[in-house]
Amino acid sequence: MWTDYKDADIYFTIADSRFHTLNFVYERFQRSIPSHSHGNGSYEIHYIAQGRGRALINGVSYEVTPGTLYVTGPHVEHAQSPILEDPMCEYCIYLKTEKRRKSVSSFPTGEEELLSAFENTPFWFGQDTQRVGALVVEIFEELQSRRTGCIFQVEALLRQLLVNLVRNYEKSVRQKAPKPAAAGDKTAVIIEEYFLYQYRSLSLEELAGKLGLGTRQTERLLQKQYGKTFLQKKAEARMSAAAILLSDPARSITSVAEDLGYSSIEHFSSAFKSYYRISPRQYRKEGVYHSFPDSSESGCENRS
């Protein structure tokens, strides 16, 4: 099951930051999501309503259960894999922030403190103890019903959501934010979703069509926003998904190759070894996740 709302186009402000909601997604996971990250000012709020799975965040594996809440901010690498016998159902809200100028010298009481606590916590993982889940469900119900005043209600709920997120953070250790890098708004969403969800059959021409650009323009855009070519992004997406799928001992290497769209297990094994410098069988035997190799050194597949 999949539901998303990409065109709500809701804005709200807290202190000197303007928040823009780029996407609302609900999904019952039957597939793995490869490792990815988002650009400056970008935050994903993940709430697991049902089911179980695993999340790999900044190289650390976490068990995901009902009531799990986690936030991935700018440049936090994260991937997800469901337990197929009890697949997780996730609500995800994608927010983008940007600083704005304000004509007055002070903000309403508490706004700066709230904003600072949110922005200084680029990653948080734990169980929801502050009714964030209930607020997320209410937001999706509002977006579905489109009743009078829906946008105003969702804006108010999103502000309350940030308050409740920060209250979840208060007793947790906050991690240092990674070094920023540039990325666009809606263009970045199109690119990131394409590599996340279409990794079985990626093509430069199809991505260019989704962006409304030529293939050369698309290549330049990928280099500018991510410092990588299309083939490097393609290899990254497919190999990240491969690593997650191989971590499930119930799956054969042949089924992993087929799920990723490879024409043969030999082709898959060659691509995997070129990227990770270890065979799929050895990787599974070691039983550990590998971080991405440097894109300038990793092998790039160019066949399907």
Side-chain angles (χ1 to χ4, degrees):
M1 180 179 178
W2 167 282
T3 304
D4 72 355
Y5 303 98
K6 295 181 181 177
D7 302 317
D9 218 28
I10 298 171
Y11 293 85
F12 62 98
T13 59
I14 296 178
D16 64 347
S17 285
R18 185 189 199 213
F19 288 74
H20 181 198
T21 56
L22 298 177
N23 209 357
F24 301 84
V25 177
Y26 171 82
E27 182 173 5
R28 183 174 184 266
F29 282 93
Q30 300 286 352
R31 59 188 172 77
S32 298
I33 301 297
S35 187
H36 62 289
S37 63
H38 304 289
N40 287 349
S42 297
Y43 295 82
E44 277 188 339
I45 301 165
H46 309 257
Y47 175 72
I48 309 303
Q50 302 174 45
R52 297 178 298 127
R54 292 183 297 273
L56 181 67
I57 304 172
N58 284 342
V60 179
S61 183
Y62 296 84
E63 183 180 1
V64 174
T65 57
T68 294
L69 170 69
Y70 67 99
V71 178
T72 49
H75 317 295
V76 174
E77 291 278 353
H78 54 291
Q80 294 180 164
S81 180
I83 302 298
L84 295 180
E85 295 79 13
D86 185 18
M88 56 191 178
C89 298
E90 180 195 78
Y91 291 91
C92 181
I93 298 176
Y94 186 4
L95 298 171
K96 176 82 172 184
T97 67
E98 61 179 11
K99 294 297 181 183
R100 67 187 184 97
R101 294 182 179 180
K102 192 171 175 67
S103 58
V104 297
S105 58
S106 61
F107 302 101
T109 303
E111 283 203 5
E112 289 178 284
E113 180 183 3
L114 173 65
L115 180 65
S116 176
F118 177 75
E119 292 183 333
N120 289 329
T121 311
F123 167 61
W124 188 88
F125 185 101
Q127 284 289 306
D128 173 30
T129 63
Q130 301 294 325
R131 296 189 66 256
V132 167
L135 288 168
V136 169
V137 171
E138 190 173 350
I139 287 170
F140 276 74
E141 289 175 348
E142 283 288 337
L143 292 169
Q144 183 178 31
S145 68
R146 293 288 179 178
R147 291 175 293 181
T148 302
C150 163
I151 299 302
F152 299 103
Q153 180 72 352
V154 171
E155 178 185 329
L157 289 168
L158 286 167
R159 291 174 66 90
Q160 185 61 50
L161 178 66
L162 261 63
V163 171
N164 289 29
L165 277 176
V166 168
R167 290 178 177 178
N168 269 296
Y169 298 168
E170 285 176 341
K171 294 183 180 180
S172 303
V173 177
R174 293 172 184 164
Q175 298 189 4
K176 185 178 179 181
K179 185 178 178 181
D185 274 9
K186 291 191 175 180
T187 297
V189 173
I190 293 171
I191 292 171
E192 290 164 5
E193 286 194 344
Y194 182 67
F195 284 103
L196 275 177
Y197 303 130
Q198 305 298 323
Y199 56 81
R200 295 173 181 83
S201 57
L202 297 164
S203 80
L204 178 59
E205 292 75 16
E206 185 179 35
L207 176 58
K210 289 179 178 292
L211 294 169
L213 301 173
T215 55
R216 290 186 180 181
Q217 290 174 301
T218 301
E219 279 282 22
R220 287 196 292 269
L221 181 62
L222 292 174
Q223 285 282 5
K224 180 180 178 181
Q225 291 196 358
Y226 302 96
K228 297 174 183 177
T229 66
F230 175 82
L231 288 179
Q232 287 173 323
K233 289 283 290 178
K234 177 180 177 178
E236 180 181 84
R238 293 179 99 179
M239 290 299 103
S240 174
I244 294 170
L245 294 172
L246 287 169
S247 70
D248 181 355
R251 300 196 62 139
S252 69
I253 294 176
T254 298
S255 73
V256 171
E258 291 173 350
D259 192 57
L260 292 170
Y262 285 92
S263 57
S264 69
I265 188 173
E266 291 80 14
H267 178 206
F268 167 63
S269 296
S270 175
F272 190 93
K273 190 169 184 178
S274 175
Y275 194 83
Y276 285 112
R277 299 179 182 85
I278 188 173
S279 72
R281 197 173 302 280
Q282 289 171 308
Y283 178 93
R284 170 168 278 177
K285 186 176 180 181
E286 289 187 7
V288 295
Y289 284 101
H290 290 251
S291 60
F292 282 135
D294 187 285
S295 60
S296 64
E297 298 178 358
S298 62
C300 290
E301 52 184 327
N302 55 17
R303 298 166 293 173
S304 59

